[in-house]
Amino acid sequence: MASLDTGGGDSGHKKGPGVKKAKKLSTRVDMTPMVDLGFLLITFFIFTSTMQTPTTLSLNMPKDEKDPEKQNEAKASGALTVMLAKNDQVFYYEGELAPDGSNFKSTNFKGIREVIIIKKKDVIARHVHNSQCEELQKNAQARGEAKWQDACKDRDLVVVIKPNEEATYKNTVDMLDEMTINVVKRFAIVDIFPEENQLIKVTQGAAGQ
């Protein structure tokens, strides 16, 4: 708070009849209440402000299977293997790789989205409802999914992503984005097989790349 100090003292002039005594005024501002108010405001905003909620990504964990032969079991009819190479090239095949490589195909990131969409529709069309679907539907309903009734229709769809040594980090991130865009629930990133990488080299060589 501000206060005025009305100290006495003369102005240096001689006293005489009709001359009033001058007063010296000094202004002093007390900042103590302002400091208290500042701390009160800081405390108020700390307790009333909402902290940023961390965003999380839901992760579908595989079922705990003790049998080693069944740990990596997946229906070949629902499997789609996608391989990433240099210059944003994408190679893929459905099911198991044919010995002669006849089902080994090439595309790009625009084309692979259409491949995933067609594969997913094919898996849903061949879906057969059984007792395992009820558990998947209950889990989807507990997560608040709007279409929980359809949670198990694409359960056999598995996308295996295999970047080779010439693929970039951006290629892998872009492919993971495709999994999110196309709502692919089961996918994995694994090492590419030597025979698959050899087919990529042969295809690139035939195209003069």
Side-chain angles (χ1 to χ4, degrees):
M1 298 176 64
S3 61
L4 297 179
D5 185 10
T6 58
D10 53 30
S11 59
H13 298 283
K14 294 182 178 181
K15 299 180 180 179
V19 177
K20 294 183 179 180
K21 184 179 179 181
K23 294 182 180 180
K24 293 182 179 180
L25 303 179
S26 62
T27 303
R28 183 175 62 85
V29 179
D30 187 3
M31 297 298 296
T32 303
M34 294 296 296
V35 174
D36 294 339
L37 179 61
F39 279 108
L40 288 175
L41 290 175
I42 292 174
T43 306
F44 173 78
F45 285 119
I46 288 176
F47 284 101
T48 58
S49 61
T50 302
M51 299 299 177
Q52 183 179 3
T53 305
T55 56
T56 58
L57 176 65
S58 59
L59 179 63
N60 296 322
M61 299 298 294
K63 183 179 179 181
D64 187 12
E65 182 61 59
K66 296 182 180 180
D67 189 355
E69 295 182 357
K70 294 183 179 180
Q71 287 181 355
N72 297 323
E73 182 180 7
K75 289 186 177 180
S77 59
L80 175 65
T81 302
V82 180
M83 292 149 288
L84 310 177
K86 65 179 181 179
N87 299 329
D88 298 335
Q89 289 180 313
V90 180
F91 301 87
Y92 69 95
Y93 62 86
E94 299 182 36
E96 296 180 357
L97 181 63
D100 58 353
S102 56
N103 60 340
F104 188 85
K105 303 176 182 178
S106 63
T107 182
N108 51 33
F109 278 95
K110 291 183 179 179
I112 195 62
R113 178 177 298 183
E114 187 66 22
V115 172
I116 296 173
I117 292 174
I118 295 175
K119 184 66 177 180
K120 186 175 182 178
K121 289 181 179 180
D122 180 65
V123 171
I124 292 175
R126 291 184 286 103
H127 167 71
V128 178
H129 191 85
N130 55 24
S131 58
Q132 294 181 352
C133 290
E134 296 179 0
E135 182 179 356
L136 294 174
Q137 289 174 342
K138 289 181 180 179
N139 294 335
Q141 188 177 15
R143 291 193 298 268
E145 296 184 8
K147 298 181 179 180
W148 59 268
Q149 298 91 339
D150 302 334
C152 69
K153 289 186 176 181
D154 59 345
R155 63 176 180 174
D156 293 333
L157 176 63
V158 180
V159 178
V160 182
I161 305 172
K162 298 183 178 183
N164 73 353
E165 69 280 0
E166 296 180 319
T168 63
Y169 179 78
K170 180 180 181 299
N171 295 147
T172 305
V173 173
D174 289 342
M175 186 53 59
L176 292 177
D177 288 340
E178 291 297 330
M179 300 298 101
T180 303
I181 293 171
N182 295 285
V183 196
V184 178
K185 300 175 183 177
R186 299 176 63 191
F187 60 90
I189 302 178
V190 299
D191 294 332
I192 191 170
F193 292 151
E195 55 269 22
E196 295 170 338
N197 208 10
Q198 183 62 30
L199 283 173
I200 292 177
K201 303 297 184 182
V202 172
T203 306
Q204 289 175 338
Q209 297 176 349

